[in-house]
Amino acid sequence: MPDQRTASWGSEPWCAELAAQWARRLDRTSYVPMARESLEDRLRELVGELVDALRTSDEAERAGERVGEQLVRLNATGEDSLARSLDLLCRALLPASSDESTRQVFGLLASLASGYAAADRATVLDQQEHLRRALLRSKADSEHGLRASRDGFREIFRTTPVGVGICDRQGTFLEVNEALESILGYSGEELRSRTLAELLHPDEADFLANTYAELLRGTRDELRERRNLLRADGGEVWTRVSLATLPGGEELPGRFVVMVEDLRELSSLQERLQHQTLHDAVTGLPNRQHFRSRLETALAGLPATERLTLYQLRLDGFELINEGLGYEVGDEIVRTVANRLQGLVEDEDGLVARIGGTEFAVLIRQEQYTPEISEFAEMINEELDEPIYIGENGLAPTASIGVIQRAVGDREPTDMMWAAEVALRGAEQAGKRQWALFDPHRAPSERSDARLAAVMPGALELGEFEVRYRPWVSLAEGSLFAVEVRLSWQPSGCAELDHDECLRLAELSGITLPLRDWMLRTAWTQLGEWHAQGLRPQLIAGLSPNQSRDPDLVAVVRDLVDGGELDAGWLRLCVSMKALMSSGGEARDNVTTLAGTGVQTAAHEFSGAPSELRFLREFPTYAALLAPDVVRLVGECASERDTPEARALAGVIPLVRDCGVPVAASGVSTEHQARWWREAGCAIASGPYYGTPLDAAGTTELLRSGTAPYDLAG
């Protein structure tokens, strides 16, 4: 297999290396009448054709057939040539597993085998035709030449792997070779007492008789068709039958040459490839692609009033099993779960599929005695409650289940599968071992979120995001001391999304980290421009939990601040308190390491828990930003200073200050709230009362009207 470390998939070096390995394999299995260099050049062209075909899915099968035909023309027809070629190409061409790409590669290789076999069969028939013509020429020239030609024919007749028989005008076998005896399971003597018609289905007798007549009249040159022939044991064998005339002189009336090629091996290969494409390798269940196809068939074939119920379930916390006991144990549990789910639908018109790593789908046609949704969901969990014993361990995984039930005429397959996934996410949010019905009222927002998350990576690449800056002020002095970087995005056809919505959708989209890195680079560059103009605010950047625990965070920040004219101390990173309190420890490591770079860190989403106070004492933290929920709670009761909530928070703030850490509050919207926070001991604040996020130009004007920056640590 080409070295992936030195050549990328599909490149010229990659194709050349694959062609060289292919040539070496063919040299070991067949005689190719050309120089090694010429062979490698030709194979490189074929590799290029296969790579191009995989990049254009509708060309894959035709390209496979053409390449297979070219292998035969190169005389690469040794006993193991095809198997070794398929093995090499599978290893080289098969990309990272994905249902659509895997189907494409398998389809290409199957068509390659088909092309190879078809060309090989054509070559054999050409040889027979050449032999027939040679016999006629030899008879006309001399009896000696005729005998020589017959000897050659006999050798081919005896050694070819294709079954060959000579029949008279009525189709009775006169001569047969060993290959034909092996394919049909008859002895030579038994075959010579039978006709070709007896080996076909009785319904095809008229068709065969008409073919005989056309061949004898010369209105038809040959017959080539795939047919099931009857074996001696009563079974059938899938073959390609070729029938042509073998003309003779006056003393030797016209005869037929029958060639029978056994297609069972090729058919078996195609069936295996097809099965692997449509079924899960671990459980043998239909995969997502096959399940969707079966769902489409059900929706197209059942009356519109019939009701279908789709259960989509995902095993809870399965990563603990894989990581703690090993993936072999995980696979065994997945197989057991698959078997138990199949047992639940044995008496139903239903289907079970594995549509993901730990995801299963159960489709049931609702009939008179089919359990109701709640009953069947409980049956699933009761089945899973029974421990699965592997060695000394009894494991009982639970599952979250999403359910959608609709009349056949109400939904398309993609709608039902999407709705079941939405319901499943709702069940998982409720906790483990829960089930939930699809809520149609959530559908519009779910679809909108999915659409926005899908286009988000492209929006980032195209520069559709904007950076804005929210002012932070000193409550004691009333002066502007810092700006907080905030994201904004205006998707096409939607309202503008603020910072929190951008981060939420980024989590769904998977671009949380690239979005963070772009935001920090953009804001740091702008901060440098402000400093060049004599404006010196601190830059505050809040990070989400995933952004805070990223192992590459320190490297990203170092690349940002090293080598520039700005001192690292002008950047204040607000790390998520949720991430700091989690068990992994990555966020805490980041805070400790960042302290050595000169970047100052704060903890946001602070709620005043004892464990959070301990963190403020033990780690280098320069501010504690209160959680938005806490700020809103106080905002609702700020007019009542003696409420339990207000007293509790007023008691927490001095404790934080005793740790040497100032307290910050965001979301301050009124003068009354601002006065309450100042009197409670809060040092800094932001919110609508102090100004909404502005673009760079608007923030520049704001900074020009502000005072000197306030020192968070002071």
Side-chain angles (χ1 to χ4, degrees):
M1 188 170 142
D3 190 347
Q4 299 296 324
R5 298 170 298 181
T6 59
S8 61
W9 189 96
S11 65
E12 276 297 322
W14 187 94
C15 292
E17 176 58 20
L18 179 56
Q21 293 192 27
W22 199 355
R24 287 195 293 272
R25 292 197 177 198
L26 292 180
D27 277 349
R28 299 190 190 103
T29 59
S30 58
Y31 169 69
V32 180
M34 63 170 56
R36 169 60 73 84
E37 183 176 353
S38 299
L39 177 59
E40 289 187 8
D41 289 342
R42 185 69 188 105
L43 292 177
R44 189 183 305 116
E45 295 175 5
L46 299 184
V47 170
E49 187 170 354
L50 292 176
V51 170
D52 291 342
L54 285 178
R55 292 172 175 157
T56 309
S57 60
D58 56 355
E59 286 294 320
E61 295 184 359
R62 289 191 291 273
E65 292 178 354
R66 290 194 298 271
V67 171
E69 180 180 354
Q70 290 303 314
L71 285 178
V72 174
R73 294 186 183 280
L74 290 173
N75 203 42
T77 56
E79 182 176 355
D80 296 324
S81 297
L82 178 58
R84 288 176 177 265
S85 295
L86 285 177
D87 177 70
L88 177 66
L89 293 177
C90 272
R91 294 174 180 272
L93 297 179
L94 192 63
S97 182
S98 121
D99 287 346
E100 181 62 22
S101 61
T102 302
R103 182 198 66 75
Q104 212 172 31
V105 171
F106 281 157
L108 184 147
L109 293 180
S111 60
L112 184 151
S114 175
Y116 181 100
D120 193 27
R121 289 191 294 273
T123 299
V124 172
L125 286 178
D126 288 344
Q127 291 174 346
Q128 298 300 324
E129 179 64 15
H130 289 317
L131 176 59
R132 183 180 67 83
R133 292 176 181 176
L135 288 171
L136 293 176
R137 287 195 302 268
S138 297
K139 187 177 187 305
D141 292 342
S142 67
E143 192 67 28
H144 175 75
L146 179 60
R147 285 197 302 268
S149 297
R150 284 177 176 174
D151 289 343
F153 175 83
R154 288 296 177 189
E155 182 63 20
I156 295 176
F157 187 84
R158 183 182 63 84
T159 60
T160 180
V162 177
V164 182
I166 306 298
C167 299
D168 62 16
R169 297 171 65 94
Q170 288 72 41
T172 303
F173 285 104
L174 303 175
E175 295 185 66
V176 295
N177 68 354
E178 293 182 2
L180 187 60
E181 297 174 16
S182 176
I183 292 172
L184 298 177
Y186 289 101
S187 67
E189 182 178 351
E190 290 172 325
L191 279 174
R192 282 188 286 272
S193 65
R194 282 172 167 76
T195 65
L196 180 58
E198 293 179 69
L199 302 177
L200 293 170
H201 194 279
D203 294 342
E204 297 178 335
D206 292 341
F207 163 77
L208 187 60
N210 292 333
T211 301
Y212 285 161
E214 291 173 357
L215 289 171
L216 291 172
R217 287 197 304 267
T219 57
R220 183 171 189 161
D221 294 330
E222 62 182 2
L223 167 72
R224 288 187 181 185
E225 293 203 10
R226 295 188 179 190
R227 297 285 174 175
N228 272 321
L229 295 184
L230 303 177
R231 286 178 48 85
D233 57 12
E236 296 183 347
V237 56
W238 183 239
T239 66
R240 184 184 292 277
V241 178
S242 300
L243 185 63
T245 55
L246 190 64
E250 294 181 358
E251 72 282 1
L252 185 62
R255 296 180 178 180
F256 301 108
V257 57
V258 180
M259 304 183 68
V260 177
E261 183 178 359
D262 190 346
L263 298 182
R264 285 176 296 181
E265 183 176 349
L266 178 60
S267 178
S268 176
L269 172 62
Q270 292 174 331
E271 289 176 1
R272 288 198 301 271
L273 291 175
Q274 180 75 0
H275 186 275
Q276 291 171 1
T277 301
L278 298 177
H279 290 77
D280 170 55
V282 175
T283 63
L285 292 177
N287 59 17
R288 179 182 288 272
Q289 176 188 352
H290 193 190
F291 179 78
R292 178 174 174 175
S293 176
R294 294 285 295 274
L295 180 55
E296 289 174 348
T297 301
L299 292 175
L302 292 174
T305 56
E306 291 284 347
R307 300 188 71 80
L308 294 175
T309 305
L310 174 57
Y311 300 83
Q312 184 167 327
L313 59 120
R314 188 156 42 227
L315 301 182
D316 298 320
F318 200 78
E319 64 276 3
L320 298 177
I321 294 176
N322 282 335
E323 295 173 7
L325 300 176
Y327 286 90
E328 294 80 6
V329 173
D331 287 347
E332 182 60 32
I333 291 176
V334 166
R335 278 190 289 269
T336 303
V337 170
N339 292 335
R340 292 184 179 182
L341 292 176
Q342 285 183 296
L344 286 176
V345 301
E346 280 182 347
D347 298 328
E348 303 289 344
D349 184 1
L351 173 68
V352 179
R354 186 188 183 196
I355 59 175
T358 61
E359 292 182 54
F360 296 86
V362 181
L363 180 67
I364 294 181
R365 180 182 178 184
Q366 291 295 131
E367 298 181 301
Q368 181 178 0
Y369 298 106
T370 300
E372 294 299 323
I373 291 174
S374 59
E375 181 182 354
F376 193 80
E378 186 59 28
M379 289 169 61
I380 291 175
N381 275 314
E382 286 178 356
E383 280 291 325
L384 299 184
D385 286 342
E386 184 67 26
I388 302 170
Y389 289 96
I390 301 177
E392 298 179 354
N393 300 308
L395 306 173
T398 60
S400 299
I401 307 170
V403 189
I404 173 73
Q405 185 180 96
R406 285 291 183 268
V408 168
D410 289 348
R411 285 289 185 270
E412 293 296 325
T414 51
D415 288 333
M416 288 196 70
M417 295 184 71
W418 171 80
E421 174 63 30
V422 171
L424 174 57
R425 290 199 296 268
E428 289 177 326
Q429 291 172 3
K432 296 182 178 180
R433 204 184 184 278
Q434 302 295 315
W435 68 271
L437 273 172
F438 171 67
D439 182 359
H441 299 294
R442 293 181 55 186
S445 61
E446 289 280 353
R447 280 201 179 278
S448 176
D449 286 352
R451 184 183 69 82
L452 292 173
V455 302
M456 210 172 193
L460 179 59
E461 185 71 23
L462 294 173
E464 296 181 10
F465 286 89
E466 295 183 10
V467 168
R468 297 184 180 177
Y469 303 89
R470 181 169 68 177
W472 282 79
V473 300
S474 163
L475 289 178
E477 302 175 5
S479 60
L480 174 67
F481 80 96
V483 293
E484 179 187 6
V485 57
R486 306 286 288 178
L487 290 167
S488 176
W489 180 31
Q490 177 71 69
S492 175
C494 296
E496 183 176 340
L497 303 180
D498 62 16
H499 181 82
D500 294 332
E501 276 295 286
C502 288
L503 287 185
R504 184 181 68 83
L505 291 172
E507 293 288 347
L508 296 177
S509 178
I511 64 164
T512 307
L513 302 183
L515 187 61
R516 173 203 65 190
D517 299 347
W518 173 82
M519 179 186 74
L520 291 177
R521 286 195 303 269
T522 303
W524 188 251
T525 300
Q526 180 60 55
L527 184 66
E529 295 178 5
W530 285 328
H531 276 242
Q533 300 173 33
L535 305 173
R536 303 185 182 280
Q538 295 282 344
L539 179 64
I540 298 175
L543 303 180
S544 71
N546 281 339
Q547 293 172 342
S548 300
R549 63 172 66 97
D550 174 31
D552 293 328
L553 174 62
V554 174
V556 170
V557 173
R558 278 180 172 160
D559 288 343
L560 188 70
V561 302
D562 286 353
E565 297 181 0
L566 286 179
D567 185 87
W570 290 102
L571 176 61
R572 306 290 175 91
L573 283 182
C574 297
V575 182
S576 165
M577 184 59 80
K578 293 178 181 178
L580 292 169
M581 293 296 102
S582 63
S583 59
E586 295 90 349
R588 296 190 180 202
D589 292 341
N590 285 337
V591 167
T592 302
T593 308
L594 285 171
T597 68
V599 174
Q600 297 185 352
T601 56
H604 70 127
E605 300 173 344
F606 179 80
S607 61
S611 59
E612 296 177 345
L613 290 170
R614 181 174 182 177
F615 171 84
L616 297 180
R617 287 194 300 106
E618 296 179 350
F619 286 83
T621 308
Y622 296 91
L625 280 65
L626 294 171
D629 290 342
V630 174
V631 176
R632 280 194 295 270
L633 182 64
V634 173
E636 294 169 358
C637 62
S639 60
E640 303 179 19
R641 302 179 60 88
D642 292 333
T643 62
E645 302 95 314
R647 292 199 305 271
L649 188 59
V652 168
I653 292 176
L655 297 177
V656 178
R657 298 180 63 182
D658 288 345
C659 297
V661 177
V663 179
S666 63
V668 177
S669 57
T670 66
E671 180 182 1
H672 183 78
Q673 291 175 7
R675 187 183 310 114
W676 190 96
W677 285 110
R678 183 173 62 252
E679 293 174 356
C682 188
I684 53 179
S686 71
Y689 179 68
Y690 302 107
T692 58
L694 302 172
D695 60 15
T699 305
T700 301
E701 294 302 317
L702 181 64
L703 291 172
R704 292 188 188 281
S705 66
T707 59
Y710 176 81
D711 187 2
L712 275 173

